[in-house]
Amino acid sequence: MDRARALAMAVDESRQWDRLMELARIGAIPGDGVNRQALTALDRAARRLVIGWAEAAGARVSVDAAANLWLRVEGADPTAAPVVTGSHMDSQPAGGRFDGIYGVVAGLEVLSGLHDLGLTLERPLEVVAWTNEEGSRFAPGCMGSMAWAGRRPLAAFADITDAEGMRFGDALAEHLAAESDLPRRPLGGRLHAYIEAHIEQGPRLEAEGLDIGVVTGIQGSRWFNVTITGASAHAGTTPVSLRRDALQAAVRAIQSLNELMADPSDLLRFTVGSLTVEPGSSNSVAGRVRFTIDLRHPDRALLTERGDAVEGAIRRAVGPWVEVALVESFNAPPLDFDKGIVDSIVAAAEALGSRWTAMPSGAFHDAQLVASAAPAAMIFVPSHDGVSHNPAEFTSAAQLAAGTRVLAAALASHTKVSN
Ligand code: GLV
Ligand code: MN
Ligand code: MN
């Protein structure tokens, strides 16, 4: 544990906090929030800051075909599979200062600590910033980690458009051109261990007075895009009986989904978070409505059963007068993290005297995708009032540093080539 403890003690609480606050100015919105969408100029500006800090810590920077950004400090054995940490730098449209970016800055803090100590680990240590985790500009989320893990080919995302009609493929090409000074590395590869630090985004750690959540797994998620097409018509002259009103149909569809998803145990999470109406005019009957479904549950069978029932429930609710198209854009089954990595986080938390608990994650994370290609687990730090995906998201500098110390020690425990 000596090397692990030294690396943990090298975590500089103020440096980490100052970096987070500097990054939070890029895309700042009222109320201390951040709106920094994937593959935008703001995203690139934030990445340049991170690159500067990483280079000052002696890291080599590279980017892969999905624009995942990699910061690598060489190990004594450069041929050994690296130990990797990281998260994402994009935010929700009305996001906070910590979701995702904390995991990247925490990794950077470990690299900086290593540099301050003048230490060389046996294995290489890498920090990765995955592209488009939130899925708020281009849906679904976790595109960078999904493509890296080979769960879906990058080309499958190319024609997905943002709200302005920009194709993901074009945004990615523009982004990679702006980063053409950075060396390219292949998409995919061998990782020895992956540990992602993240804010909890829920109330439990704070309520229980704990420092660390040792994340044992992630509940499953399914995303659907629903399009209901009727016919736009004059609101004053078209009798209701003759209308093919897409919005009235969508209301019936969502009501019937609420019934389908009713769960007395309150474990199932069902969200319609986006709904657009065309033509979107007071005196026109709606001709087309698009809405999203975000469905989550820890039980694979239940998630499969409810998700598979969505299309039928919608069709029965809307009747024959409108058309329904449904596309499933994301399906990440529930997952248990690697026991060896989980145990190493517990050992690090114990050695550092942190108050910890084992817990599952309600949010999805890049680690969920990485876990299909490498042993992985996560570390949570408390979220004040459990608030996240909201400008008011808050974790104190001391709580963030405590999480990074556990991260540093846990990463260090995997850097021996013999283990
Ligand atoms: C991640 O942002 C999620 O929606 O769980
Ligand atoms: Mn996140
Ligand atoms: Mn998020």
Side-chain angles (χ1 to χ4, degrees):
M1 190 72 192
D2 283 357
R3 175 153 297 194
R5 178 170 288 278
L7 204 53
M9 290 311 130
V11 168
D12 182 332
E13 178 181 318
S14 323
R15 174 171 58 193
Q16 175 171 268
W17 180 259
D18 291 348
R19 285 174 173 172
L20 279 164
M21 292 307 106
E22 197 171 340
L23 283 160
R25 286 202 280 276
I26 304 175
I29 58 171
D32 283 338
V34 173
N35 178 5
R36 194 171 50 236
Q37 297 303 307
L39 304 177
T40 58
L42 291 173
D43 188 11
R44 287 189 276 284
R47 287 159 64 110
R48 287 291 165 181
L49 258 187
V50 164
I51 288 168
W53 293 325
E55 286 177 340
R60 275 194 299 120
V61 178
S62 59
V63 67
D64 65 28
N68 299 314
L69 178 67
W70 297 82
L71 319 168
R72 175 181 172 103
V73 171
E74 217 48 84
D77 180 354
T79 63
V83 170
V84 180
T85 184
S87 192
H88 61 97
M89 297 179 62
D90 61 322
S91 78
Q92 287 288 312
R97 295 174 290 175
F98 306 98
D99 177 0
I101 192 73
Y102 165 56
V104 175
V105 172
L108 199 56
E109 187 53 39
V110 179
L111 293 188
S112 297
L114 198 58
H115 187 254
D116 295 345
L117 294 169
L119 274 180
T120 302
L121 301 169
E122 285 183 40
R123 292 182 181 277
L125 178 63
E126 295 186 334
V127 179
V128 56
W130 302 106
T131 298
N132 188 36
E133 189 271 354
E134 294 289 3
S136 47
R137 180 178 179 201
F138 297 104
C142 296
M143 281 186 184
S145 50
M146 217 182 308
W148 178 87
R151 292 277 291 272
R152 269 176 85 182
L154 191 54
F157 304 129
D159 291 329
I160 292 170
T161 52
D162 69 7
E164 270 73 53
M166 173 80 145
R167 290 172 67 252
F168 175 79
D170 294 338
L172 180 62
E174 180 183 289
H175 180 99
L176 289 172
E179 290 187 342
S180 59
D181 58 313
L182 303 179
R184 255 319 166 81
R185 65 184 265 155
L187 189 60
R190 246 173 0 119
L191 305 190
H192 180 66
Y194 177 80
I195 304 179
E196 179 168 345
H198 204 281
I199 57 167
E200 179 196 347
Q201 309 183 276
R204 184 165 161 200
L205 293 175
E206 183 180 72
E208 295 179 18
L210 300 171
D211 310 310
I212 298 292
V214 179
V215 186
T216 50
I218 302 190
Q219 69 175 340
S221 305
R222 296 179 75 174
W223 280 15
F224 300 89
N225 296 323
V226 182
T227 307
I228 297 186
T229 306
S232 179
H234 195 293
T237 61
T238 316
V240 170
S241 60
L242 296 183
R243 293 181 184 185
R244 298 173 58 221
D245 186 327
L247 184 52
Q248 291 294 344
V251 167
R252 288 197 299 280
I254 293 168
Q255 185 48 38
S256 129
L257 290 171
N258 282 333
E259 284 158 22
L260 173 69
M261 303 302 175
D263 175 18
S265 65
D266 205 15
L267 271 180
L268 185 145
R269 310 270 190 265
F270 166 69
T271 306
V272 175
S274 166
L275 185 144
T276 54
V277 180
E278 295 172 21
S281 162
S282 306
N283 48 355
S284 287
V285 172
R288 178 170 288 132
V289 169
R290 298 176 208 274
F291 66 90
T292 57
I293 295 172
D294 178 314
L295 174 64
R296 310 193 193 199
H297 199 278
D299 182 79
R300 180 188 286 258
L302 193 141
L303 186 69
T304 302
E305 180 244 300
R306 297 293 161 95
D308 291 354
V310 162
E311 184 165 0
I314 295 175
R315 288 192 187 284
R316 279 191 298 281
V318 300
W321 311 112
V322 293
E323 283 150 35
V324 174
L326 179 126
V327 176
E328 181 162 14
S329 67
F330 186 58
N331 187 337
L335 165 106
D336 290 327
F337 280 133
D338 181 86
K339 180 152 180 352
I341 307 286
V342 168
D343 288 348
S344 72
I345 299 170
V346 170
E350 285 285 331
L352 294 168
S354 300
R355 292 159 298 182
W356 64 275
T357 189
M359 62 189 297
S361 172
F364 61 71
H365 296 284
D366 292 303
Q368 194 166 0
L369 286 303
V370 177
S372 60
M378 293 185 73
I379 296 170
F380 280 171
V381 292
S383 291
H384 183 48
D385 285 340
V387 171
S388 186
H389 285 190
N390 183 306
E393 196 171 79
F394 184 76
T395 306
S396 73
Q399 289 172 315
L400 295 166
T404 308
R405 287 191 193 102
V406 173
L407 174 71
L411 288 170
S413 72
H414 294 286
T415 56
K416 291 213 176 61
V417 171
S418 54
N419 68 12

